[in-house]
Amino acid sequence: MDQLGENLDPNLVGRTREDENDSRSGSDNMENASGDDQDAAAPSNGSRPKKYHRHTPHQIQELESFFKDCPHPDEKQRLELSRRLGLEIKQIKFWFQNRRTQMKTQLERHENVILRQECDKLRAENDYLKHAMANPVCSNCGGPAVPGEISYDQHQLQMENARLREELDRVFALTSNFWDCPSSSSAGPIPSQGLNNNVELGVRRNGLGGLNNAGGSSSPMEFNFGDGAMLPRPMANDMPYDRSAVVDIALGALGELIKLAQVDSPFWIKGSDGSLETLNLEQYSRAFPSFIGMKPTGYQTEATRATGLVSLRGSALVEAVMDANRWVEMFPCLVYKAATIDVLSTGTGVTRDNALQVMDAEFHVLSPLAPARRQRFIRFCKQHSEGVWIMVDVSIDTTRDAADKYAFLNCRRLPSGFVIQDLDNKYSKITWIEHSEYDESAVHHLLRSSLNAGVGFGAHRWIATLQRQSECLAVLMSADIPSEDNIGITSAGRKSMLKLAQRLTRMFCEGVCVSSGTKWEKVTIGVVDEDMRVMSRTNANDPGEPFGVLLCAATSIWLPETQKRLYDFLRDERQRIQWDILSNTGPMNEMLKVSKGPGVGNAVSLLCGGPMTSNENAMLILQESWSDASGALVLYAPVDVSSMRTVMNGGDSAYVALLPSGFAILPCISPTYRTGQGNSSGHVVNSNMDGSINSNGCILTVGFQILVNSLPTAKLSSDSVETVNNVVVCTMKKVKAALMVGSRRRASSQERTDFLWSSGSGIDLDEL
């Protein structure tokens, strides 16, 4: 998220700034005063001129410090500075205007110096070339060349031109298979149906024309990819796939995604409210050929489509998803790890248009009962028009390389991705498609129906996560982060708390999910429950975690409760005592809450047992919670007072030792559910008014991480394993018991109400 925030234009997330004319007007009003001499205005007629008063060093220091964080203060901030520094509001306003003008002048002066240097270099290079042209030298003997010998072979140029024209016609013929258009190289843009009435996704020939294998290039080791870079072609045994075939697959996947993303596409079965759609496999199989062969035996198909609005521009999203690390940071609950293993094109110019690369990734659902999905796929980005971007993924066949760890995958990614269109306001409209085939045999029976319906990896989860992350990004980039209690925490401190919460989520996902290459190792000693997953590892040098031997236990159960009720119960600090068996301090109190967005409960909180103490060794609870259409998360970790005081003052949160524990809530489809993806008359996935999936209860995943021994060299005992197993089991029982008591109370109240109404005894509604 930090890298995305640095590369993103603040205008893309709705950040406002003062008009440049206002700044120029303010500078004109004070053109005779320096940046520190802003106490006096121009003298009026007949009055004695006022003296200029220079600001005190303290005032200048405070203004400079505030200017670094916020060069464009609003009226409220200027009023606060005026009250705190004893200056008038106009003085504050003019000081900031003059300071911005001074900063702009310094930057322009610096740019002028650089441009002059570049100009001098170009002038010197130009003089050198003129001298070389005026005095040509023979390349064979080194003597002066005869002017008549310097000429071009017109016949060779004509042959090269004809060869390039044939190559261009070949690519046009390939693209015409997907857009049903003539293949003449003299034609204009290729017409195609738009996604809606306002967007025309016409693929221009000069855009796709660059995607070709320059077989006749001057060097056989070069791979020409349009206006992008000339990349070296690896040897045949370097990669387990044909790089020239990758281009054809990418173009085919792009054409398929465009057709599937159209508004009136006949390939989708709409839900009750149309927010989540499932694929009609019969019509799909008749219309599109398979890029990666037949579906393996025992594999299940899941395919969903969803549409929504996000406060993010298409170019910013494309930049994030093309960077493997930033992609993982943006979707921590869906993508465990990712890596770019081959880049065939970096894109046209400075944009990502026509960018093509091969990636490895592992996708996970927050439950130890479902294995991670390992995939190798092509990622292709295309800008179809101004403000409209398309990103498509499709798996490639790697089974021929038996030595490759990704040769044996448990999931295949059919053409999936998104189409995003920038709107007039700060929002963008995005249509997301997820289509994959996976091995169902390794999935626990409790999750099979839910994953098959797209609850775990469906398109709605990607959009909901993107919406939540973009809202959090807007909060991080804003000058003032909303907080219910501004006492004891600075603006930089609130940002540090949000970054600490991001790390808390990432560490929890690493401990709960079943992924390869993780730092955790499976524990085989001790007696644990059947569906319990216990892992261990040692930490000897990471300051972000306690040093010593760590244990992590996680399991998932089904509960007959709605996502909202379960989420409200677990995040409520007043009811924490009903399930937290490790808390001996009694009821918890919320000291501080930093909001991450407009959602209810979407915040980072700091909890304590009883009143706040000045003891540096006292323990607090850092809690992060959020809920959206994809599910909910309630995480917490014990932290000490001294570390949180540093964070609240804007210090580096990377050195706060965390051991995350908590709950992940996933809507659950009944095991008897059968998706209607196979035919047009089957059942479909319906959605609630808030976008969440209609389900029969929820899957609750509980994960605990504890420090067993502070010595990294200590041996793990079976008693420790059984202890952490009992902690998870006990917590599950307490949660179920507390929810059951609440359900009985509601049922009893409903029965009493029904009885009173059926008896006809004139009950007052206010009394009920």
Side-chain angles (χ1 to χ4, degrees), residues 198-202 204 382-389 421:
N198 299 326
V199 182
E200 289 236 352
L201 293 179
R204 300 186 179 276
K382 179 66 184 175
Q383 184 179 14
H384 270 252
S385 59
E386 184 67 25
V388 179
W389 288 85
Q421 173 193 358

Side-chain angles (χ1 to χ4, degrees), residues 362-381:
E362 286 194 18
F363 302 89
H364 60 194
V365 63
L366 295 182
S367 173
L369 305 183
R373 298 183 177 182
R374 298 185 295 122
Q375 300 178 9
R376 172 167 290 177
F377 54 89
I378 306 167
R379 175 157 290 181
F380 178 43
C381 281

Side-chain angles (χ1 to χ4, degrees), residues 556-570:
S556 298
I557 62 171
W558 175 82
L559 290 177
E561 299 290 343
T562 63
Q563 173 181 323
K564 182 179 184 305
R565 181 167 185 264
L566 192 55
Y567 172 70
D568 291 339
F569 169 73
L570 293 174

Side-chain angles (χ1 to χ4, degrees), residues 519-523 525 534-542 545-553 658-659 704-721 723-724:
K519 297 180 292 185
W520 296 92
E521 297 180 357
K522 188 175 182 179
V523 175
I525 62 174
V534 181
M535 310 286 284
S536 70
R537 65 183 179 89
T538 59
N539 177 40
N541 52 16
D542 187 359
E545 297 175 328
F547 297 107
V549 180
L550 308 177
L551 265 181
C552 176
L658 294 177
L659 269 182
F704 273 90
Q705 296 185 24
I706 63 174
L707 177 65
V708 177
N709 197 308
S710 57
L711 295 177
T713 57
K715 298 295 183 179
L716 185 64
S717 64
S718 59
D719 292 339
S720 300
V721 176
T723 297
V724 70

Side-chain angles (χ1 to χ4, degrees), residues 390-552:
I390 300 179
M391 190 279 293
V392 62
D393 295 342
V394 62
S395 292
I396 55 177
D397 185 15
T398 59
T399 56
R400 289 174 294 179
D401 185 12
D404 192 346
K405 69 175 182 178
Y406 274 84
F408 305 98
L409 307 179
N410 60 353
C411 182
R412 309 197 313 169
R413 193 167 180 81
L414 280 73
S416 306
F418 61 82
V419 179
I420 185 169
Q421 173 193 358
D422 295 343
L423 302 180
D424 294 337
N425 53 19
K426 64 179 181 179
Y427 290 95
S428 300
K429 180 181 179 182
I430 184 170
T431 298
W432 201 294
I433 295 175
E434 281 295 314
H435 189 188
S436 61
E437 298 170 346
Y438 65 97
D439 184 8
E440 193 182 38
S441 61
V443 181
H444 195 278
H445 65 86
L446 191 64
L447 294 176
R448 287 187 179 180
S449 298
S450 298
L451 294 185
N452 186 245
V455 173
F457 298 96
H460 71 288
R461 294 207 68 196
W462 294 88
I463 289 184
T465 304
L466 185 60
Q467 290 171 338
R468 189 180 68 254
Q469 293 287 55
S470 60
E471 291 167 356
C472 183
L473 175 64
V475 172
L476 279 173
M477 296 185 63
S478 63
D480 188 20
I481 297 180
S483 174
E484 295 186 3
D485 186 2
N486 292 321
I487 300 177
I489 183 171
T490 63
S491 177
R494 290 190 287 272
K495 294 182 180 180
S496 296
M497 283 193 64
L498 294 182
K499 293 180 181 178
L500 184 62
Q502 291 177 358
R503 185 160 64 91
L504 180 72
T505 300
R506 185 175 65 253
M507 294 174 62
F508 177 81
C509 295
E510 292 176 355
V512 168
C513 301
V514 183
S515 302
S516 63
T518 180
K519 297 180 292 185
W520 296 92
E521 297 180 357
K522 188 175 182 179
V523 175
T524 58
I525 62 174
V527 179
V528 298
D529 283 27
E530 180 181 0
D531 295 331
M532 186 75 64
R533 179 173 177 262
V534 181
M535 310 286 284
S536 70
R537 65 183 179 89
T538 59
N539 177 40
N541 52 16
D542 187 359
E545 297 175 328
F547 297 107
V549 180
L550 308 177
L551 265 181
C552 176

Side-chain angles (χ1 to χ4, degrees), residues 87-133:
L87 299 174
E88 296 181 1
I89 297 180
K90 288 186 177 181
Q91 291 179 283
I92 299 295
K93 179 178 180 180
F94 292 154
W95 189 92
F96 275 90
Q97 289 175 352
N98 292 341
R99 188 67 178 87
R100 288 193 297 268
T101 303
Q102 181 185 7
M103 181 67 69
K104 181 179 179 181
T105 303
Q106 293 175 353
L107 292 176
E108 291 177 348
R109 186 180 298 113
H110 179 67
E111 292 177 356
N112 289 337
V113 172
I114 296 177
L115 291 176
R116 289 194 189 97
Q117 295 176 354
E118 293 292 334
C119 184
D120 293 339
K121 292 180 181 179
L122 292 175
R123 186 178 291 108
E125 184 178 356
N126 191 22
D127 294 340
Y128 172 78
L129 293 176
K130 288 181 179 179
H131 178 74
M133 293 177 64

Side-chain angles (χ1 to χ4, degrees), residues 286-339:
R286 290 195 297 263
F288 300 103
S290 175
F291 293 102
I292 52 179
M294 300 296 294
K295 181 173 68 174
T297 304
Y299 273 44
Q300 287 290 336
T301 301
E302 68 168 87
T304 56
R305 184 178 77 166
T307 303
L309 297 177
V310 295
S311 57
L312 199 65
R313 289 308 192 198
S315 58
L317 179 58
V318 166
E319 283 291 335
V321 298
M322 293 302 290
D323 188 308
N325 294 329
R326 293 165 61 185
W327 182 43
V328 173
E329 291 179 358
M330 180 172 284
F331 301 97
C333 298
L334 288 167
V335 185
Y336 173 70
K337 62 180 181 179

Side-chain angles (χ1 to χ4, degrees), residues 145-157:
V146 180
E149 296 178 356
I150 303 177
S151 62
Y152 294 96
D153 192 342
Q154 299 294 336
H155 179 65
Q156 293 295 330
L157 285 177

